[in-house]
Amino acid sequence: MECVLGLVGRDFAVVAADTSAVQSILVHKTDEDKVMVLDSHKLMGASGEPGDRVQFTEYIQKNLHLYQFRNTTPLSTAATANFTRGELATALRKNPYMVNVILGGYDKDVGASLYYIDYIATLHKIDKGAFGYGSYFCLSLMDKLYHPDMTVEEAIDLVDKCIKEIRLRLVVAPQNFVIKIVDKDGAREYARRELVGDNASASAGAAATAVAA
């Protein structure tokens, strides 16, 4: 029941994801970071099979570092998206990675940008997007509330609305989320949204009531 979402604002991009590590019906941990900082100005949110997700995101991160060491300049966000797409396309005909990616970055000459890359190597530049079961709720909210000139506060408010809707309406919903942002000052963690103790019980009760209704 993974959820990864992202959007582009005025001069920044936000990528958020749940932090649950799940296998079958078991939740093994609730602090798994699925949004990797690729370099100083790029974020990669990924969903999919845990082994593929970890191995592939680390592979992309290390290749970006290698390119920068060799050429003394980092890849742009667009070039990173195309490199990622190329690696998925190559693997698709050999040993496919079951990984879906939302890539956000900031370039001095372009500004903030966001890319959607799925496990069959489909690449699109987007303003907003989501993967996982949570996308059934997030995409409709984004269609209604998103606008290209959003401030950071407006973008985080929209992400919070998406998280609230996932917690309320998804039958087996992840409770904890991490939100990261990238802008001219770099890529960094912005906030975490966690349910603990009584809050988690109240949310579960509300969801059960909603299902019963």
Side-chain angles (χ1 to χ4, degrees), residues 118-165:
D118 69 12
Y119 74 101
I120 56 172
T122 303
L123 170 63
H124 290 293
K125 185 177 181 180
I126 57 175
D127 293 325
K128 58 190 185 301
F131 279 117
Y133 283 103
S135 66
Y136 292 112
F137 313 111
C138 294
L139 292 176
S140 57
L141 277 170
M142 289 178 174
D143 283 343
K144 182 177 182 180
L145 301 175
Y146 174 82
H147 59 89
D149 204 34
M150 297 186 91
T151 64
V152 172
E153 291 74 20
E154 289 173 329
I156 297 302
D157 184 60
L158 176 52
V159 170
D160 284 338
K161 283 182 169 67
C162 291
I163 292 172
K164 181 179 179 181
E165 200 71 11

Short mmCIF file of all heavy atoms in Angstrom, two decimals, residues 118-165:
data_model
loop_
_atom_site.label_atom_id
_atom_site.label_comp_id
_atom_site.label_asym_id
_atom_site.label_seq_id
_atom_site.Cartn_x
_atom_site.Cartn_y
_atom_site.Cartn_z
N ASP A 118 7.89 5.23 -14.83
CA ASP A 118 7.33 4.01 -14.26
C ASP A 118 8.22 2.81 -14.59
O ASP A 118 9.26 2.93 -15.23
CB ASP A 118 5.88 3.79 -14.69
CG ASP A 118 5.73 3.47 -16.16
OD1 ASP A 118 6.75 3.19 -16.83
OD2 ASP A 118 4.58 3.50 -16.65
N TYR A 119 7.81 1.62 -14.13
CA TYR A 119 8.66 0.44 -14.20
C TYR A 119 8.86 -0.07 -15.63
O TYR A 119 9.79 -0.85 -15.88
CB TYR A 119 8.09 -0.67 -13.31
CG TYR A 119 6.85 -1.34 -13.86
CD1 TYR A 119 6.93 -2.58 -14.49
CD2 TYR A 119 5.60 -0.74 -13.77
CE1 TYR A 119 5.80 -3.21 -15.01
CE2 TYR A 119 4.47 -1.35 -14.27
CZ TYR A 119 4.58 -2.59 -14.89
OH TYR A 119 3.46 -3.19 -15.40
N ILE A 120 8.02 0.35 -16.57
CA ILE A 120 8.25 -0.02 -17.97
C ILE A 120 8.91 1.11 -18.75
O ILE A 120 8.82 1.18 -19.97
CB ILE A 120 6.95 -0.50 -18.65
CG1 ILE A 120 5.85 0.55 -18.54
CG2 ILE A 120 6.49 -1.82 -18.08
CD1 ILE A 120 4.61 0.22 -19.36
N ALA A 121 9.55 2.02 -18.04
CA ALA A 121 10.40 3.07 -18.63
C ALA A 121 9.61 4.13 -19.38
O ALA A 121 10.09 4.69 -20.36
CB ALA A 121 11.47 2.46 -19.52
N THR A 122 8.42 4.43 -18.91
CA THR A 122 7.66 5.57 -19.43
C THR A 122 8.13 6.83 -18.73
O THR A 122 8.21 6.87 -17.51
CB THR A 122 6.16 5.38 -19.18
OG1 THR A 122 5.73 4.16 -19.77
CG2 THR A 122 5.36 6.53 -19.76
N LEU A 123 8.46 7.85 -19.50
CA LEU A 123 8.97 9.09 -18.93
C LEU A 123 8.09 10.27 -19.35
O LEU A 123 7.80 10.44 -20.53
CB LEU A 123 10.41 9.34 -19.40
CG LEU A 123 11.03 10.72 -19.10
CD1 LEU A 123 11.15 10.94 -17.61
CD2 LEU A 123 12.38 10.85 -19.79
N HIS A 124 7.66 11.05 -18.37
CA HIS A 124 6.90 12.27 -18.64
C HIS A 124 7.37 13.37 -17.71
O HIS A 124 7.60 13.13 -16.52
CB HIS A 124 5.40 12.06 -18.43
CG HIS A 124 4.74 11.19 -19.44
ND1 HIS A 124 4.60 11.55 -20.75
CD2 HIS A 124 4.20 9.96 -19.33
CE1 HIS A 124 3.99 10.59 -21.41
NE2 HIS A 124 3.74 9.60 -20.57
N LYS A 125 7.47 14.57 -18.22
CA LYS A 125 7.66 15.74 -17.36
C LYS A 125 6.28 16.20 -16.91
O LYS A 125 5.38 16.36 -17.73
CB LYS A 125 8.37 16.87 -18.10
CG LYS A 125 8.69 18.06 -17.22
CD LYS A 125 9.46 19.14 -17.98
CE LYS A 125 9.80 20.30 -17.06
NZ LYS A 125 10.55 21.37 -17.76
N ILE A 126 6.11 16.39 -15.61
CA ILE A 126 4.79 16.68 -15.05
C ILE A 126 4.86 17.85 -14.06
O ILE A 126 5.94 18.24 -13.63
CB ILE A 126 4.20 15.44 -14.32
CG1 ILE A 126 5.15 14.97 -13.21
CG2 ILE A 126 3.92 14.31 -15.31
CD1 ILE A 126 4.61 13.83 -12.37
N ASP A 127 3.70 18.38 -13.72
CA ASP A 127 3.59 19.39 -12.66
C ASP A 127 3.20 18.76 -11.34
O ASP A 127 3.52 19.29 -10.28
CB ASP A 127 2.54 20.44 -13.04
CG ASP A 127 2.96 21.28 -14.23
OD1 ASP A 127 4.16 21.56 -14.35
OD2 ASP A 127 2.08 21.64 -15.04
N LYS A 128 2.49 17.64 -11.40
CA LYS A 128 2.03 16.94 -10.20
C LYS A 128 1.83 15.47 -10.56
O LYS A 128 1.54 15.15 -11.71
CB LYS A 128 0.72 17.54 -9.70
CG LYS A 128 -0.39 17.49 -10.75
CD LYS A 128 -1.59 18.29 -10.34
CE LYS A 128 -2.75 18.16 -11.32
NZ LYS A 128 -2.39 18.60 -12.69
N GLY A 129 2.00 14.59 -9.57
CA GLY A 129 1.82 13.18 -9.87
C GLY A 129 1.90 12.34 -8.62
O GLY A 129 2.31 12.81 -7.55
N ALA A 130 1.49 11.07 -8.74
CA ALA A 130 1.51 10.16 -7.61
C ALA A 130 1.56 8.72 -8.10
O ALA A 130 1.10 8.41 -9.21
CB ALA A 130 0.27 10.37 -6.73
N PHE A 131 2.13 7.85 -7.29
CA PHE A 131 2.17 6.42 -7.53
C PHE A 131 1.55 5.69 -6.33
O PHE A 131 1.51 6.23 -5.23
CB PHE A 131 3.60 5.92 -7.71
CG PHE A 131 4.17 6.14 -9.08
CD1 PHE A 131 5.27 6.95 -9.26
CD2 PHE A 131 3.63 5.49 -10.18
CE1 PHE A 131 5.82 7.13 -10.52
CE2 PHE A 131 4.16 5.67 -11.45
CZ PHE A 131 5.26 6.49 -11.61
N GLY A 132 1.13 4.46 -6.57
CA GLY A 132 0.62 3.64 -5.48
C GLY A 132 -0.88 3.78 -5.30
O GLY A 132 -1.55 4.56 -6.00
N TYR A 133 -1.42 3.03 -4.33
CA TYR A 133 -2.86 3.09 -4.08
C TYR A 133 -3.31 4.48 -3.63
O TYR A 133 -4.44 4.88 -3.88
CB TYR A 133 -3.24 2.05 -3.01
CG TYR A 133 -3.29 0.65 -3.54
CD1 TYR A 133 -2.25 -0.25 -3.27
CD2 TYR A 133 -4.37 0.19 -4.29
CE1 TYR A 133 -2.28 -1.54 -3.75
CE2 TYR A 133 -4.40 -1.10 -4.77
CZ TYR A 133 -3.36 -1.97 -4.51
OH TYR A 133 -3.39 -3.25 -5.00
N GLY A 134 -2.42 5.22 -2.99
CA GLY A 134 -2.76 6.56 -2.56
C GLY A 134 -3.05 7.50 -3.72
O GLY A 134 -3.73 8.51 -3.55
N SER A 135 -2.56 7.16 -4.91
CA SER A 135 -2.78 8.03 -6.07
C SER A 135 -4.26 8.13 -6.44
O SER A 135 -4.68 9.13 -7.03
CB SER A 135 -1.99 7.51 -7.28
OG SER A 135 -2.47 6.25 -7.71
N TYR A 136 -5.06 7.12 -6.08
CA TYR A 136 -6.49 7.18 -6.38
C TYR A 136 -7.17 8.37 -5.69
O TYR A 136 -8.18 8.87 -6.15
CB TYR A 136 -7.19 5.88 -5.96
CG TYR A 136 -6.78 4.68 -6.78
CD1 TYR A 136 -6.04 3.66 -6.22
CD2 TYR A 136 -7.12 4.59 -8.12
CE1 TYR A 136 -5.65 2.55 -6.96
CE2 TYR A 136 -6.75 3.49 -8.88
CZ TYR A 136 -6.01 2.48 -8.30
OH TYR A 136 -5.63 1.39 -9.05
N PHE A 137 -6.61 8.78 -4.56
CA PHE A 137 -7.17 9.91 -3.81
C PHE A 137 -6.39 11.20 -4.07
O PHE A 137 -6.97 12.28 -4.14
CB PHE A 137 -7.17 9.58 -2.32
CG PHE A 137 -7.71 8.22 -2.00
CD1 PHE A 137 -6.88 7.22 -1.53
CD2 PHE A 137 -9.05 7.93 -2.20
CE1 PHE A 137 -7.37 5.96 -1.26
CE2 PHE A 137 -9.56 6.67 -1.93
CZ PHE A 137 -8.70 5.68 -1.46
N CYS A 138 -5.07 11.07 -4.23
CA CYS A 138 -4.22 12.27 -4.38
C CYS A 138 -4.44 12.97 -5.71
O CYS A 138 -4.48 14.21 -5.77
CB CYS A 138 -2.75 11.88 -4.25
SG CYS A 138 -2.29 11.28 -2.62
N LEU A 139 -4.57 12.21 -6.79
CA LEU A 139 -4.65 12.83 -8.11
C LEU A 139 -5.89 13.70 -8.26
O LEU A 139 -5.84 14.77 -8.87
CB LEU A 139 -4.60 11.75 -9.20
CG LEU A 139 -3.26 11.02 -9.32
CD1 LEU A 139 -3.36 9.91 -10.36
CD2 LEU A 139 -2.14 11.98 -9.68
N SER A 140 -7.01 13.26 -7.70
CA SER A 140 -8.23 14.06 -7.79
C SER A 140 -8.10 15.34 -6.97
O SER A 140 -8.54 16.42 -7.40
CB SER A 140 -9.44 13.25 -7.34
OG SER A 140 -9.26 12.76 -6.03
N LEU A 141 -7.48 15.25 -5.79
CA LEU A 141 -7.25 16.44 -4.97
C LEU A 141 -6.32 17.42 -5.68
O LEU A 141 -6.54 18.63 -5.67
CB LEU A 141 -6.66 16.04 -3.62
CG LEU A 141 -7.63 15.58 -2.54
CD1 LEU A 141 -6.86 14.99 -1.36
CD2 LEU A 141 -8.52 16.70 -2.08
N MET A 142 -5.27 16.88 -6.29
CA MET A 142 -4.32 17.74 -7.01
C MET A 142 -4.99 18.41 -8.20
O MET A 142 -4.74 19.60 -8.47
CB MET A 142 -3.12 16.91 -7.46
CG MET A 142 -2.20 16.49 -6.33
SD MET A 142 -0.84 15.47 -6.96
CE MET A 142 0.14 15.29 -5.47
N ASP A 143 -5.83 17.68 -8.92
CA ASP A 143 -6.53 18.27 -10.06
C ASP A 143 -7.37 19.47 -9.62
O ASP A 143 -7.49 20.47 -10.34
CB ASP A 143 -7.43 17.23 -10.73
CG ASP A 143 -6.66 16.26 -11.59
OD1 ASP A 143 -5.51 16.58 -11.94
OD2 ASP A 143 -7.19 15.20 -11.92
N LYS A 144 -7.96 19.36 -8.44
CA LYS A 144 -8.85 20.42 -7.96
C LYS A 144 -8.10 21.59 -7.34
O LYS A 144 -8.47 22.76 -7.56
CB LYS A 144 -9.84 19.85 -6.95
CG LYS A 144 -10.85 20.87 -6.43
CD LYS A 144 -11.86 20.23 -5.49
CE LYS A 144 -12.88 21.25 -5.01
NZ LYS A 144 -13.88 20.64 -4.09
N LEU A 145 -7.04 21.30 -6.57
CA LEU A 145 -6.42 22.33 -5.73
C LEU A 145 -5.07 22.84 -6.23
O LEU A 145 -4.60 23.89 -5.78
CB LEU A 145 -6.25 21.78 -4.31
CG LEU A 145 -7.53 21.33 -3.61
CD1 LEU A 145 -7.20 20.70 -2.25
CD2 LEU A 145 -8.49 22.49 -3.43
N TYR A 146 -4.45 22.14 -7.16
CA TYR A 146 -3.11 22.54 -7.61
C TYR A 146 -3.17 23.72 -8.58
O TYR A 146 -4.06 23.82 -9.41
CB TYR A 146 -2.42 21.36 -8.30
CG TYR A 146 -1.09 21.74 -8.91
CD1 TYR A 146 0.06 21.79 -8.15
CD2 TYR A 146 -1.01 22.06 -10.27
CE1 TYR A 146 1.28 22.15 -8.71
CE2 TYR A 146 0.21 22.42 -10.84
CZ TYR A 146 1.34 22.47 -10.06
OH TYR A 146 2.53 22.84 -10.62
N HIS A 147 -2.20 24.62 -8.45
CA HIS A 147 -1.96 25.63 -9.48
C HIS A 147 -0.44 25.85 -9.56
O HIS A 147 0.28 25.69 -8.57
CB HIS A 147 -2.71 26.94 -9.17
CG HIS A 147 -2.35 27.58 -7.87
ND1 HIS A 147 -1.32 28.48 -7.75
CD2 HIS A 147 -2.87 27.45 -6.62
CE1 HIS A 147 -1.23 28.90 -6.49
NE2 HIS A 147 -2.16 28.28 -5.78
N PRO A 148 0.07 26.20 -10.73
CA PRO A 148 1.52 26.21 -10.96
C PRO A 148 2.30 27.20 -10.09
O PRO A 148 3.50 27.00 -9.87
CB PRO A 148 1.64 26.60 -12.45
CG PRO A 148 0.32 26.26 -13.04
CD PRO A 148 -0.69 26.49 -11.96
N ASP A 149 1.67 28.24 -9.61
CA ASP A 149 2.38 29.30 -8.89
C ASP A 149 2.26 29.14 -7.38
O ASP A 149 2.26 30.12 -6.65
CB ASP A 149 1.84 30.66 -9.33
CG ASP A 149 2.86 31.77 -9.11
OD1 ASP A 149 4.07 31.50 -9.25
OD2 ASP A 149 2.44 32.90 -8.80
N MET A 150 2.16 27.91 -6.91
CA MET A 150 1.98 27.65 -5.47
C MET A 150 3.20 28.08 -4.66
O MET A 150 4.34 27.96 -5.10
CB MET A 150 1.72 26.17 -5.21
CG MET A 150 0.45 25.62 -5.83
SD MET A 150 0.13 23.90 -5.34
CE MET A 150 -0.87 24.18 -3.89
N THR A 151 2.93 28.59 -3.45
CA THR A 151 4.00 28.85 -2.49
C THR A 151 4.31 27.55 -1.76
O THR A 151 3.58 26.56 -1.86
CB THR A 151 3.58 29.91 -1.48
OG1 THR A 151 2.47 29.40 -0.70
CG2 THR A 151 3.15 31.20 -2.17
N VAL A 152 5.40 27.56 -1.00
CA VAL A 152 5.76 26.37 -0.21
C VAL A 152 4.63 26.01 0.75
O VAL A 152 4.27 24.84 0.89
CB VAL A 152 7.08 26.61 0.56
CG1 VAL A 152 7.35 25.46 1.52
CG2 VAL A 152 8.24 26.78 -0.41
N GLU A 153 4.08 27.02 1.41
CA GLU A 153 3.01 26.76 2.38
C GLU A 153 1.79 26.14 1.72
O GLU A 153 1.18 25.20 2.26
CB GLU A 153 2.61 28.07 3.09
CG GLU A 153 3.65 28.64 4.02
CD GLU A 153 4.82 29.29 3.28
OE1 GLU A 153 4.67 29.62 2.07
OE2 GLU A 153 5.90 29.43 3.89
N GLU A 154 1.42 26.63 0.54
CA GLU A 154 0.27 26.07 -0.19
C GLU A 154 0.54 24.64 -0.63
O GLU A 154 -0.34 23.77 -0.57
CB GLU A 154 -0.05 26.94 -1.40
CG GLU A 154 -0.66 28.30 -1.05
CD GLU A 154 -0.80 29.19 -2.27
OE1 GLU A 154 0.01 29.09 -3.21
OE2 GLU A 154 -1.75 30.02 -2.28
N ALA A 155 1.77 24.39 -1.09
CA ALA A 155 2.13 23.04 -1.54
C ALA A 155 2.10 22.04 -0.38
O ALA A 155 1.57 20.93 -0.52
CB ALA A 155 3.51 23.06 -2.19
N ILE A 156 2.66 22.43 0.75
CA ILE A 156 2.66 21.53 1.92
C ILE A 156 1.24 21.30 2.41
O ILE A 156 0.87 20.19 2.81
CB ILE A 156 3.55 22.10 3.04
CG1 ILE A 156 5.00 22.21 2.58
CG2 ILE A 156 3.45 21.24 4.29
CD1 ILE A 156 5.62 20.90 2.13
N ASP A 157 0.40 22.33 2.36
CA ASP A 157 -1.00 22.17 2.74
C ASP A 157 -1.70 21.16 1.83
O ASP A 157 -2.49 20.33 2.29
CB ASP A 157 -1.72 23.52 2.68
CG ASP A 157 -3.17 23.42 3.15
OD1 ASP A 157 -3.40 23.04 4.31
OD2 ASP A 157 -4.07 23.73 2.34
N LEU A 158 -1.40 21.19 0.53
CA LEU A 158 -1.99 20.24 -0.40
C LEU A 158 -1.49 18.82 -0.11
O LEU A 158 -2.28 17.86 -0.13
CB LEU A 158 -1.67 20.64 -1.84
CG LEU A 158 -2.14 19.69 -2.95
CD1 LEU A 158 -3.62 19.36 -2.81
CD2 LEU A 158 -1.85 20.30 -4.32
N VAL A 159 -0.20 18.69 0.16
CA VAL A 159 0.35 17.37 0.52
C VAL A 159 -0.32 16.86 1.79
O VAL A 159 -0.67 15.68 1.89
CB VAL A 159 1.88 17.46 0.70
CG1 VAL A 159 2.42 16.16 1.30
CG2 VAL A 159 2.56 17.74 -0.63
N ASP A 160 -0.52 17.72 2.77
CA ASP A 160 -1.19 17.32 4.01
C ASP A 160 -2.62 16.86 3.75
O ASP A 160 -3.11 15.91 4.38
CB ASP A 160 -1.18 18.47 5.02
CG ASP A 160 0.17 18.66 5.69
OD1 ASP A 160 0.95 17.69 5.71
OD2 ASP A 160 0.44 19.76 6.19
N LYS A 161 -3.31 17.53 2.84
CA LYS A 161 -4.67 17.12 2.48
C LYS A 161 -4.66 15.72 1.85
O LYS A 161 -5.54 14.89 2.13
CB LYS A 161 -5.30 18.13 1.53
CG LYS A 161 -5.78 19.41 2.19
CD LYS A 161 -6.44 20.34 1.17
CE LYS A 161 -7.18 21.50 1.84
NZ LYS A 161 -6.29 22.44 2.52
N CYS A 162 -3.66 15.48 1.00
CA CYS A 162 -3.53 14.15 0.38
C CYS A 162 -3.27 13.08 1.44
O CYS A 162 -3.88 11.99 1.41
CB CYS A 162 -2.40 14.16 -0.63
SG CYS A 162 -2.71 15.16 -2.11
N ILE A 163 -2.37 13.37 2.38
CA ILE A 163 -2.05 12.42 3.44
C ILE A 163 -3.29 12.14 4.29
O ILE A 163 -3.58 10.98 4.63
CB ILE A 163 -0.89 12.95 4.30
CG1 ILE A 163 0.41 12.96 3.49
CG2 ILE A 163 -0.72 12.11 5.56
CD1 ILE A 163 1.57 13.65 4.19
N LYS A 164 -4.03 13.18 4.64
CA LYS A 164 -5.24 13.01 5.44
C LYS A 164 -6.25 12.12 4.72
O LYS A 164 -6.87 11.24 5.32
CB LYS A 164 -5.85 14.38 5.74
CG LYS A 164 -7.11 14.31 6.59
CD LYS A 164 -7.66 15.70 6.86
CE LYS A 164 -8.96 15.63 7.69
NZ LYS A 164 -9.51 16.99 7.93
N GLU A 165 -6.40 12.34 3.42
CA GLU A 165 -7.36 11.55 2.64
C GLU A 165 -6.93 10.09 2.55
O GLU A 165 -7.77 9.18 2.64
CB GLU A 165 -7.52 12.16 1.25
CG GLU A 165 -8.79 11.76 0.53
CD GLU A 165 -10.04 12.38 1.14
OE1 GLU A 165 -9.90 13.29 1.99
OE2 GLU A 165 -11.14 11.96 0.78
#
